[in-house]
Amino acid sequence: MGIKGLHKGLTFCTKKGNLRDYRGRTIAVDSSSWLHRSVYSVSEQYVESMERKALDSHCLKVSSNYIINRCCEMLNKFHIAEIFLVMDGQRCPLKANESADREERRQQNLKEARAFKRKGSRYQAEEKYKMCIKIRDELTHAVMDAVAKRFRNEPRVKLVWSPYEADAQLAKLCLDRKAHAVITEDSDVLVYSAAARISFPVLFKLDRNCGSCDVISMEWLLSPPAVNAANPKSKTALEGLLLNLAFRETKRPGFGVRLFVQGCVFAGCDYAPNNLPGVGLYVGCVFSSSLCPVPVLTWFASISSL
C-alpha cells in the first residue's frame, strides 16, 4: 500500500536504474509483493480456495515456483551476491481497523467477480479476482517452506521473518549494513528510511526480464546538497514543499526529517484509527510544517477540529 502520492511526489529524486547495477551486492526483498504477483495467474482458484479455508496444492506450486524462479534469476542472471527474503510477521493490533476496511472492500470485489463469472465475462472476472487476493499466513509459510527446501544448500538465499510488518525489517537490514538495497512496491519503507536516518536505494517497478526499475533513496532529505534550498526550483507545489523540508534539515538536522515523517502520518497510514478528511500528502506536510512552532496542546486541538 504505502503513503498515497509519495512515490509520485518524489519524481524529482527518482532515477532510472537496473538490477545489474547491484551486481555483487546484497538485496533485501519485500516478499509480500512477490507473493501477490505469484498467484495472479491462478487468482480465481486461489481466492475461492482461501474462501473455503483451504490451500490449493496447484496454487501453492505456482506460487513457490514463482518465488524460486525470481531468486534464481537474481542470482544467476543479474549476479546478485545475496538475497534476503523478508516476510511479514504477526498482525499488528494497531492495523485492525484498516484490515477490517480492506476485508470489506475485498468481499465486495469478490461478489462482483462472481457476478462477472456467471455472466461469462471472463476478463472482468479475472481482474476482480486479482483485486481479491489476500496473502494468508498458510500460503506464506507453505511457500517459504518450499523455498527453504529448494535453497537448503544455497547460503546466498536467506529467509527473514519480521516481528510485524516487513517494511521496518527491510530498513533495519540496511541500517545494520547487511543489505545494500531494497526491492518493494510499498513506499512505507521510504518513511522508515527517513525515520532511521539511513539512506539506501529502494527499487520500485522492477522488470524481471530486463532488470529496469525506478530507484528512490532518501538522500535528498538526509544528505541534502549545500545549496540555497530556501527557494528551490520545483515543478509542483508538493515537490517545492518537500525540497523546503530538505532545506530545513540543513539548518536544523533532524527537524526536516521529523516534519516529513509527521506529514506522511497525517496523509494516512495503516495504523491511524481514522483518516483525516481532505488530508493528503501535500496538506499533511503543510500541516506538520505550519504547526511545528505551536504548543503541543494547541497542536492536538487543531487536529481534532478537522
Side-chain angles (χ1 to χ4, degrees):
M1 292 295 291
I3 307 300
K4 187 175 180 180
L6 180 57
H7 195 163
K8 185 177 180 180
L10 294 178
T11 302
F12 67 91
C13 65
T14 301
K15 301 177 181 179
K16 291 296 180 182
N18 196 287
L19 190 56
R20 290 184 174 86
D21 299 335
Y22 302 91
R23 180 189 181 104
R25 297 296 187 105
T26 300
I27 304 289
V29 179
D30 181 358
S31 297
S32 63
S33 61
W34 280 10
L35 284 166
H36 271 89
R37 289 182 179 274
S38 73
V39 292
Y40 269 17
S41 63
V42 289
S43 57
E44 177 184 341
Q45 192 172 347
Y46 171 73
V47 170
E48 292 294 356
S49 67
M50 287 292 98
E51 288 299 303
R52 300 192 301 270
K53 308 297 182 183
L55 179 56
D56 185 89
S57 59
H58 177 66
C59 295
L60 172 58
K61 182 178 179 180
V62 169
S63 182
S64 300
N65 287 341
Y66 179 92
I67 302 295
I68 290 169
N69 289 338
R70 291 296 301 263
C71 289
C72 289
E73 289 167 2
M74 289 182 64
L75 294 173
N76 302 322
K77 182 178 179 181
F78 297 100
H79 304 287
I80 301 303
E82 192 174 30
I83 302 168
F84 284 104
L85 291 177
V86 183
M87 278 69 66
D88 289 328
Q90 300 180 54
R91 305 293 179 185
C92 184
L94 288 174
K95 198 177 176 180
N97 288 340
E98 174 63 21
S99 296
D101 289 342
R102 289 181 184 177
E103 180 60 23
E104 184 178 342
R105 293 193 296 269
R106 199 183 72 84
Q107 288 297 327
Q108 180 59 40
N109 287 324
L110 181 57
K111 291 180 181 179
E112 294 177 14
R114 288 168 172 170
F116 278 126
K117 182 182 176 182
R118 287 193 297 269
K119 294 177 182 178
S121 302
R122 295 300 305 172
Y123 175 78
Q124 290 90 336
E126 182 179 348
E127 292 303 303
K128 281 294 180 179
Y129 271 118
K130 288 179 181 178
M131 297 172 69
C132 299
I133 292 174
K134 178 181 180 180
I135 301 303
R136 299 191 184 277
D137 293 342
E138 301 94 311
L139 178 72
T140 301
H141 286 278
V143 168
M144 291 307 156
D145 284 345
V147 172
K149 183 177 180 180
R150 167 62 177 80
F151 293 110
R152 61 182 179 276
N153 297 320
E154 176 52 85
R156 293 179 296 171
V157 177
K158 294 180 171 62
L159 307 186
V160 177
W161 294 90
S162 308
Y164 289 98
E165 293 202 332
D167 308 297
Q169 186 64 56
L170 292 164
K172 185 64 165 63
L173 287 169
C174 293
L175 180 65
D176 292 343
R177 307 296 181 185
K178 293 182 179 179
H180 298 98
V182 166
I183 294 176
T184 186
E185 294 302 328
D186 193 334
S187 61
D188 281 350
V189 73
L190 295 170
V191 184
Y192 281 104
S193 172
R197 301 191 62 79
I198 177 71
S199 177
F200 50 85
V202 182
L203 281 55
F204 295 95
K205 301 180 181 179
L206 175 63
D207 187 318
R208 66 181 294 189
N209 295 314
C210 65
S212 65
C213 57
D214 287 348
V215 182
I216 303 177
S217 82
M218 294 303 294
E219 188 173 359
W220 65 273
L221 178 63
L222 298 173
S223 302
V227 296
N228 182 16
N231 298 297
K233 294 181 179 180
S234 55
K235 296 181 180 179
T236 66
L238 176 57
E239 180 180 327
L241 182 59
L242 293 174
L243 290 174
N244 185 261
L245 295 183
F247 174 68
R248 292 192 179 202
E249 183 67 16
T250 64
K251 298 299 182 182
R252 183 179 168 187
F255 189 54
V257 169
R258 171 192 161 193
L259 296 179
F260 171 77
V261 172
Q262 289 177 342
C264 289
V265 172
F266 276 133
C269 67
D270 294 343
Y271 310 105
N274 294 296
N275 289 325
L276 299 175
V279 179
L281 181 59
Y282 177 79
V283 174
C285 288
V286 169
F287 202 58
S288 64
S289 299
S290 62
L291 290 177
C292 60
V294 176
V296 66
L297 292 179
T298 305
W299 197 78
F300 280 111
S302 298
I303 298 173
S304 63
S305 66
L306 290 175

